[in-house]
Amino acid sequence: MAKHYDCDDCPAYCCSYARIIVTDEDIERLGQHHGMSPREARRTFTRKGEDKGERILRHQADENFTTICRFIDPDTRGCTIYEARPEICREFPGEGRCGYYDFLTFERNAQDDPDWVATTG
Ligand code: SF4
Ligand code: SF4
């Protein structure tokens, strides 16, 4: 299926989702990437989620979306740990469409501004 979105041309809206769940394997990979033990990586990069035992990525303040994943580079809007990113980040949004990108493209065309950023904050 053709890909109808371009993450390089997007302010990384999906990385602003509050609940980005990570697995033990993800935490281990994050630790290896940063030269930390899984325990240290878990404490440093994740926090408690909604469900029992769930861990989610910590956030940082963001000018576009109020908060965003702590691993986003605020200037480039790229993931600073791309090679070590969690599984859920690798799978999203799949090979087809991204709803936010459709919305962003529509608004950029409507406003005749290719750099316009659709915010939620
Ligand atoms: S998946 Fe969609 S929202 Fe996320 S960075 Fe790519 S285009 Fe943007
Ligand atoms: S780890 Fe990277 S891809 Fe995943 S939410 Fe954070 S910044 Fe986005």
Side-chain angles (χ1 to χ4, degrees):
M1 195 192 295
K3 199 167 134 184
H4 294 281
Y5 57 91
D6 180 0
C7 298
D8 290 339
D9 195 27
C10 172
Y13 175 70
C14 58
C15 302
S16 74
Y17 292 167
R19 194 177 178 212
I20 299 173
I21 300 171
V22 292
T23 63
D24 288 347
E25 221 171 50
D26 291 328
I27 292 173
E28 202 175 318
R29 194 183 313 109
L30 282 175
Q32 275 170 7
H33 185 77
H34 292 90
M36 290 177 179
S37 67
R39 177 191 288 257
E40 199 182 350
R42 180 184 155 94
R43 196 182 56 233
T44 308
F45 304 129
T46 75
R47 65 182 181 84
K48 262 189 190 169
E50 282 170 30
D51 291 347
K52 195 166 182 281
E54 179 180 293
R55 300 300 292 184
I56 60 175
L57 290 177
R58 288 185 185 273
H59 271 204
Q60 59 178 317
D62 184 59
E63 62 173 338
N64 293 315
F65 305 121
T66 311
T67 70
I68 198 163
C69 175
R70 73 186 302 292
F71 291 119
I72 275 288
D73 179 323
D75 297 324
T76 67
R77 309 302 293 180
C79 177
T80 57
I81 54 148
Y82 194 75
E83 295 305 318
R85 70 198 187 287
E87 201 56 45
I88 200 167
C89 305
R90 295 164 195 261
E91 290 168 0
F92 187 85
E95 288 301 310
R97 304 201 83 90
C98 167
Y100 177 80
Y101 195 78
D102 285 346
F103 168 62
L104 186 68
T105 304
F106 176 85
E107 289 293 334
R108 282 177 173 172
N109 288 336
Q111 303 198 24
D112 201 17
D113 179 356
D115 297 324
W116 189 79
V117 171
T119 62
T120 55

